[in-house]
Amino acid sequence: QVQLVESGGGSVQPGGSLRLSCSAPAYTYSSYCMGWFRQAPGKEREGLAIIYAGGRMTDYADSVRGRFTISRDNAENTLYLQMNSLKPEDTAMYYCAADSWTNMGDCYAHLLRTDFGYWGQGTQVTVSS
């Protein structure tokens, strides 16, 4: 079992920024694919970003590429999602997730299918004026 705990959500005005955090066991950072997802009310869960291979590889869904950045601090055992230029349509519950995919291709495929094995409880992000 992999315990993941998100934090950092809140309310922000359009155009603003937020940084989400996800604490995870240390071993996940070296050997697991980790990702950020979101789900808005009445919508399907959406994969946003992944980080893999000790942080050397990242990739993003087209919907957030260029605005969101996934990163991690191995010393702090923390995964981050920096979100800039936020829009009202970014309002959702945000989740971090992890799984033991063994290559970047599988990691990205499962991001798009939103079927990672381990999930946090989520943190709410609301973008509104």
Side-chain angles (χ1 to χ4, degrees), residues 1-4 32 37 96-100 115-120:
Q1 189 72 15
V2 176
Q3 278 199 312
L4 305 171
Y32 276 58
F37 299 78
C96 71
D99 213 313
S100 56
D115 60 355
F116 277 42
Y118 304 101
W119 294 84

Side-chain angles (χ1 to χ4, degrees), residues 1 13 29-30 36 92 94:
Q1 189 72 15
Q13 293 187 338
Y29 296 106
S30 61
W36 284 100
Y94 283 70

Side-chain angles (χ1 to χ4, degrees), residues 38-119:
R38 68 185 177 190
Q39 188 164 21
K43 294 189 176 182
E44 293 186 352
R45 188 165 56 193
E46 178 186 13
L48 304 176
I50 48 170
I51 191 164
Y52 181 69
R56 296 189 301 275
M57 303 177 75
T58 61
D59 208 346
Y60 300 86
D62 290 342
S63 59
V64 301
R65 194 184 305 273
R67 294 193 300 127
F68 291 8
T69 302
I70 189 171
S71 64
R72 69 187 199 195
D73 184 330
N74 290 345
E76 297 294 328
N77 295 335
T78 303
L79 179 73
Y80 298 104
L81 185 69
Q82 177 67 43
M83 305 186 295
N84 298 329
S85 302
L86 284 163
K87 307 172 184 179
E89 51 264 42
D90 293 317
T91 296
M93 186 72 78
Y94 283 70
Y95 302 88
C96 71
D99 213 313
S100 56
W101 315 120
T102 58
N103 63 76
M104 188 63 172
D106 285 346
C107 191
Y108 193 75
H110 287 281
L111 173 77
L112 298 181
R113 296 208 292 262
T114 71
D115 60 355
F116 277 42
Y118 304 101
W119 294 84

